[in-house]
C-alpha cells in the first residue's frame, strides 16, 4: 500500500509572490533587495550598482519571454551571477608593481575607526532613549530604509502620523546631549 504524498504543503508554506504589470514596477519594488545581492557579489558598491544595472538590462530584453513572474528574482539573481562570472573571467590587470605603496587620501569626515564606533554607539544610545513608537519609526525609516508609506503600513498608522513622529524624534536627537559634541 502506498502512502499519498501531499505536494501542496510546500507550496502552501511558501508565501505567494507578487506579479508585476511592468518591468518598471518590478524594478521599483525589488531594486533594494537585488542591490544587496549585487553588493554581496562585489567588493565595491559602485561595481554592485553597475552589475545590477547590467543584469536588469538583460532581464528587460527577456521580459516578454519570462512566463512565470514568480521566478523573476531567481532570473535576475542568475543574471547577476552570470554577469559577475563573465566580468571576473574577462578582468584586466589594473594593478602594477611599484617600489612604494601609495597611501589613500583621507576623505573629509573619515576619522579614526574608534571615533566612528564611538559615534555609532552614541547614536544608538540616543535612539534607544526615544519613546518606543518614535524609535520604531526612526529605525524603520532610516535604518531599514522604508518609505513613509511603507513605515505607516508596517505600523498600522497614517503617513501623517509617521511624518510627525519622525520629525519629533529627529528634534529630540538633535537636542540629545551625547550627540551635541559631534556637531
Amino acid at each position: 500500500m502506498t502512502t499519498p504524498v501531499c505536494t501542496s504543503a510546500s507550496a502552501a508554506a511558501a508565501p505567494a509572490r507578487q506579479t508585476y504589470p511592468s518591468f518598471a514596477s518590478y524594478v521599483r519594488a525589488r531594486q533594494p533587495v537585488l542591490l544587496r545581492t549585487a553588493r554581496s557579489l562585489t567588493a565595491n558598491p559602485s561595481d554592485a550598482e553597475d552589475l545590477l544595472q547590467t543584469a536588469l538590462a538583460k532581464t528587460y530584453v527577456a521580459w516578454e519571454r519570462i512566463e512565470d513572474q514568480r521566478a523573476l528574482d531567481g532570473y535576475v539573481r542568475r543574471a547577476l551571477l552570470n554577469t559577475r562570472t563573465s566580468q571576473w573571467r574577462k578582468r584586466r590587470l589594473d594593478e602594477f608593481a611599484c617600489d612604494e605603496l601609495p597611501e589613500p587620501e583621507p576623505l573629509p569626515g573619515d576619522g579614526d575607526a574608534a571615533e566612528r564606533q564611538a559615534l555609532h554607539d552614541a547614536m544608538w544610545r540616543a535612539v534607544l532613549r526615544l519613546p518606543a513608537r518614535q524609535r520604531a519609526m526612526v529605525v524603520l525609516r532610516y535604518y531599514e530604509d522604508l518609505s513613509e508609506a511603507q513605515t505607516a503600513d508596517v505600523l498600522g498608522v497614517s503617513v501623517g502620523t509617521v511624518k510627525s513622529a519622525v520629525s519629533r524624534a529627529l528634534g529630540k536627537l538633535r537636542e540629545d546631549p551625547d550627540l551635541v559634541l559631534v556637531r
Side-chain angles (χ1 to χ4, degrees), residues 62-177:
W63 184 256
E64 297 300 322
R65 294 189 317 257
I66 301 173
E67 294 177 10
D68 186 7
Q69 291 241 326
R70 294 173 298 164
L72 284 171
D73 283 352
Y75 186 94
V76 175
R77 285 189 180 104
R78 175 49 66 183
L80 283 167
L81 188 59
N82 290 347
T83 302
R84 181 65 183 137
T85 302
S86 296
Q87 289 172 349
W88 176 77
R89 287 180 179 155
K90 295 176 186 177
R91 74 181 163 106
R92 294 174 284 143
L93 183 61
D94 291 335
E95 297 176 10
F96 303 99
C98 60
D99 293 333
E100 190 175 317
L101 291 176
E103 291 296 322
E105 292 294 323
L107 298 173
D110 188 24
D112 183 22
E115 290 175 13
R116 283 194 312 271
Q117 185 62 43
L119 175 62
H120 182 267
D121 292 344
M123 185 57 143
W124 267 114
R125 283 192 304 272
V127 168
L128 290 174
R129 284 192 292 272
L130 292 172
R133 191 170 183 181
Q134 288 179 358
R135 182 174 55 240
M137 291 183 191
V138 166
V139 168
L140 289 172
R141 280 286 291 131
Y142 298 107
Y143 285 91
E144 293 296 322
D145 201 25
L146 295 181
S147 68
E148 291 167 343
Q150 291 170 324
T151 302
D153 189 41
V154 167
L155 296 175
V157 297
S158 70
V159 174
T161 302
V162 171
K163 288 180 179 182
S164 63
V166 167
S167 176
R168 285 191 303 273
L170 292 177
K172 288 180 182 180
L173 291 174
R174 282 186 204 101
E175 296 171 1
D176 191 282

Side-chain angles (χ1 to χ4, degrees), residues 3-12:
T3 305
V5 177
C6 180
T7 57
S8 63
S10 61

Side-chain angles (χ1 to χ4, degrees), residues 4-60:
V5 177
C6 180
T7 57
S8 63
S10 61
R17 293 192 183 169
Q18 182 178 359
T19 59
Y20 300 95
S22 70
F23 180 75
S25 65
Y26 172 74
V27 172
R28 273 192 304 274
R30 301 301 294 165
Q31 184 175 10
V33 173
L34 296 171
L35 184 58
R36 282 194 296 268
T37 302
R39 288 192 73 173
S40 69
L41 294 172
T42 63
N44 184 342
S46 298
D47 291 342
E49 291 172 359
D50 291 343
L51 177 63
L52 178 59
Q53 185 175 10
T54 303
L56 288 174
K58 291 178 180 181
T59 304
Y60 179 75

